[in-house]
Amino acid sequence: MQKLRSGVLACLSLVLVAWCPPAAADGPPSRPAASVIARQGFNPYGIALTRDGRYAYLSFDLSAFVFKVRLSDMTVVASADFSRYFPLKCSTIALDAGETKVFLHDRILGRLLVLNAVTLQEIRMIGGFPAGMAHLVSSRWGPYLILVSGRVWLINTDSLEVTALGNSRGFNYVRESATDPAIWYAVASAPGSTVIGTYDYKKALWSPKATVQARTGGWSVHDFAVLPDGSKAYLAVLGPWLPGYQSTGWLYAADLRSGAVSELPIDGGAKALAISHDSSRLYV
């Protein structure tokens, strides 16, 4: 088994858990604007990776900024400030299949902000979703995003039309299977624990695979990721706060075949996950 190592991006508080060396640089570093280099409070709430692994889009809960970061040298190559939509708290972010649009969910007023992926300029604001935590997932099976907030919606990334799905079971997180469009990997809450399993949303069939026991004190799941082959799932967990506004947390890895669960402490808390498209890296 390859050894897990981690590093920290100082200016953005992004923790990188990696198995391979970083990708080669794709150009000279750009100089961040003065507003970009300001501290953002703590780790990103949302991470969306491009398929080539060169860039990450970051959203925050305590900041109205959105960042595009070149991962080869951790340079901010684009940013946008949406303070005009106060109170905007972007708890999740996703790219469309063509990587031409960026979607951010505002958990305060239940809005979906659609941006140009190159310029980060606004395309449209879509309202009508419930307020509260929600999660965006890029679909493997068409030009759609899946928005999960107890209920489940499909957003057509071409037309920006929204369709509500009936068989959602009240899941906290959903990820699609890479081999069967009817199967979701999902996270459900249970007393004192969090259960990871598979769900056939056409047959409404739930199959639990692994259970993560909650720690005492502050403990909340903030993101969920699954390897494309369905062998392993990951949970990003925020733990209790320490003096000086310092957060704690953990990364949990669950073997979906054996049910075994391992735990890795994350300084600053774990609030967002993204798996590289070749499955060689996990960004936290």
Side-chain angles (χ1 to χ4, degrees):
M1 179 181 294
Q2 293 171 304
K3 185 177 181 180
L4 196 65
R5 58 187 176 86
S6 64
V8 178
L9 301 185
C11 66
L12 293 176
S13 299
L14 174 66
V15 179
L16 170 62
V17 181
W19 288 272
C20 295
D26 58 343
S30 60
R31 183 180 299 275
S35 61
V36 168
I37 62 176
R39 288 185 175 273
Q40 296 303 307
F42 51 84
N43 291 358
Y45 257 61
I47 304 175
L49 298 180
T50 57
R51 280 190 302 274
D52 60 13
R54 292 184 175 183
Y55 298 97
Y57 294 83
L58 309 180
S59 62
F60 294 82
D61 193 60
L62 297 184
S63 170
F65 271 93
V66 178
F67 295 94
K68 180 180 180 181
V69 178
R70 185 169 59 220
L71 296 175
S72 59
D73 56 8
M74 305 306 179
T75 297
V76 175
V77 297
S79 67
D81 181 5
F82 294 100
S83 298
R84 63 183 179 274
Y85 287 125
F86 178 86
L88 180 73
K89 292 192 174 183
C90 295
S91 58
T92 185
I93 186 170
L95 284 162
D96 68 335
E99 298 185 349
T100 61
K101 299 184 185 77
V102 181
F103 294 78
L104 300 100
H105 178 262
D106 170 28
R107 69 178 178 87
I108 301 300
L109 297 178
R111 303 173 291 184
L112 200 61
L113 182 59
V114 187
L115 310 178
N116 181 292
V118 176
T119 64
L120 297 184
Q121 296 299 303
E122 179 183 348
I123 297 174
R124 187 181 301 180
M125 178 74 84
I126 305 173
F129 301 103
M133 295 297 294
H135 306 278
L136 282 170
V137 182
S138 299
S139 176
R140 301 174 182 271
W141 303 102
Y144 298 101
L145 293 181
I146 303 172
L147 177 64
V148 184
S149 180
R151 297 175 59 195
V152 178
W153 292 264
L154 286 181
I155 297 99
N156 187 304
T157 56
D158 293 335
S159 66
L160 301 183
E161 294 180 355
V162 178
T163 303
L165 295 182
N167 290 340
S168 59
R169 192 185 162 88
F171 291 122
N172 301 325
Y173 299 87
V174 162
R175 298 292 183 265
E176 291 181 311
S177 165
T179 58
D180 188 339
I183 298 298
W184 294 343
Y185 296 95
V187 175
S189 298
S193 65
T194 296
V195 181
I196 303 171
T198 58
Y199 181 68
D200 187 323
Y201 76 89
K202 292 185 177 180
K203 299 178 180 178
L205 181 62
W206 167 245
S207 177
K209 301 296 183 182
T211 299
V212 178
Q213 299 296 330
R215 285 172 169 255
T216 57
W219 197 95
S220 58
V221 178
H222 279 256
D223 207 357
F224 173 57
V226 182
L227 292 180
D229 64 3
S231 62
K232 186 172 288 189
Y234 301 92
L235 290 178
V237 172
L238 181 65
W241 291 92
L242 302 177
Y245 201 59
Q246 173 67 34
S247 60
T248 61
W250 301 271
L251 171 69
Y252 290 88
D255 189 315
L256 299 184
R257 294 166 181 167
S258 67
V261 175
S262 59
E263 175 189 274
L264 176 70
I266 300 293
D267 184 32
K271 291 177 283 292
L273 296 174
I275 296 174
S276 64
H277 288 275
D278 63 0
S279 300
S280 65
R281 293 184 177 189
L282 175 68
Y283 292 88
V284 183

